[in-house]
Amino acid sequence: MEKVLSARFDIPNSHTLDVYLQHGGYRALQKALTEMTPEQITEEVKKSALRGRGGAGFSTGLKWSFVPKDSPKPIYLVVNADESEPGTFKDRPIMEKDPHALLEGMMIAAYAISSHLAFIYIRGEYWYLKERLEQAIEEARARGYVGKNILGTGFDCDVIVHPGAGAYICGEETALLESLEGKRGYPRIKPPFPALVGLYGCPTVVNNVETIASVPPIIVNGGDWFRRLGTEKSGGTRLFAVSGHVERPGVYERPLGYPLKQLIEDCGGVRGGRKLKAVIPGGTSAPILTAEEAETITLDFEALAAIGSMLGSGGVIVMDETTDIVQATYRSIKFYEHESCGWCVPCREGTNWLVKIFRRLLRGGGTERDIDMLIELSDNMFGRTHCPLGDAAAWAVAPAVKKFRAEFERYVQRRVSVAV
Ligand SMILES: Cc1cc2nc3c(=O)[nH]c(=O)nc-3n(C[C@H](O)[C@H](O)[C@H](O)COP(=O)(O)O)c2cc1C
């Protein structure tokens, strides 16, 4: 199995510049700056079928091409290292074990979009990684890979690491930009999209850590090579963060299009040889899959969209037969209620009502009507909120109720109740 993103993870001191250089580091940057134009880089990335690893899966090359070529204003690159989707922990090993891969990707991306200042917006809980990144930036700056006159080519780009204070909404790209500007992390209305009006009102590309770390191998080996690793429309490999009821949870690199069932087996299978009950394939906001769906689906953007779910952030949450789906879904909705920024009514009120109904059901006081109301409320939130946090909350609930209704009915029939 080809390792692209995790190739250096197990090498001692992989986070240092010397080890990175010994294993092919910064070759891509050299090639990009000396042999390619910014347009050629963007074309290569388009060809690679690299799609955003942060959640929405938008074509990375296409996003870069939206940045105006003749901007009178500065252009910024912002790396989204907020990693706040529950079940998602795959950007962490990149920053911990291979920070130079991120920096190299950032310098290539910055060159492609003509940016001379880049930011890494990192979640506050990753403080130790902020220090690691800053060490890597200093090392790279001292040896001419970051900063002024990079590799003697006349291209300048510096990097600033900015820690957030720990809010899920600050992972949403426009709320992130507000937060980076020193304001409260409320999402902005789109359009305009950040590529035209982003940080400080200037053109800005926001990309996930893993997306950017995928760029150097694309430049070294070519877009076609990367695309062929995955599927026609979902190029490359991905880091899947597998948690829950498997024998060996962790971060696994697999090509896009890989069977989910096989990934679970690679993790040692369902714990204790139990039966699989459900899988959330892309962080808690991705609609839940039944065991039957999970056993046949492949992990790529197209296949999951075709069955009404999504690959999202690559956080695969495995649930065995002992899982109480009502309680598991309640835990997710409590998270969304807590993290709703409160700015728009359907999200603020909707998540709050969903929590209330869940509590009634779980305490044994719910009715059939409550079960229907969970679906109606979610359907009414979906697409009507200011940002996709409301959609995420709705997606965490409605598919779970529809696919596992009998479990909800057990609570209505008062055969079970729990203290919440
Ligand atoms: C509520 C919410 C939270 C998000 N959290 C993250 C996050 O932690 N990390 C991330 O990369 N993208 C997150 N996103 C997606 C970003 O808005 C954006 O699409 C992404 O950073 C773009 O990068 P990509 O194209 O490389 O995926 C979040 C979106 C929403 C709606």
Side-chain angles (χ1 to χ4, degrees), residues 16 26 45 57 70 72 99 150 180 190 197-198 212 215 227 256 262-263 271 276 287 293 298-299 320 338 345 357 403:
T16 62
Y26 289 108
V45 173
D70 50 358
I150 296 174
L180 199 48
K190 291 196 278 192
V197 184
I212 292 291
V215 171
R227 178 183 225 131
L256 288 173
Q262 187 63 46
L263 177 64
R271 65 169 183 182
L276 182 68
E293 288 171 320
T298 52
L299 292 162
D320 74 13
H338 181 263
V345 177
I357 298 169
K403 293 181 187 179

Side-chain angles (χ1 to χ4, degrees), residues 182-218:
K183 293 179 266 175
R184 186 169 178 157
Y186 279 150
R188 296 176 182 169
I189 289 172
K190 291 196 278 192
F193 289 93
L196 294 180
V197 184
L199 189 63
Y200 308 121
C202 300
T204 304
V205 162
V206 182
N207 270 138
N208 171 259
V209 168
E210 186 188 349
T211 312
I212 292 291
S214 302
V215 171
I218 292 173

Side-chain angles (χ1 to χ4, degrees), residues 51-60 63 78-85 88 90-91 123 167-174 176 190 206-212 285 312-313 336 387-390 392:
R51 296 174 63 171
R53 308 308 199 214
F58 193 77
S59 157
T60 305
K63 190 187 277 189
V78 176
V79 170
N80 190 342
D82 197 58
E83 184 134 274
S84 39
E85 176 80 2
T88 310
K90 49 85 186 176
D91 294 338
R123 66 178 300 159
Y168 175 59
I169 191 58
C170 290
E172 192 282 326
E173 58 184 7
T174 60
L176 183 156
K190 291 196 278 192
V206 182
N207 270 138
N208 171 259
V209 168
E210 186 188 349
T211 312
I212 292 291
S285 43
S313 60
Y336 291 110
C387 86
L389 192 146

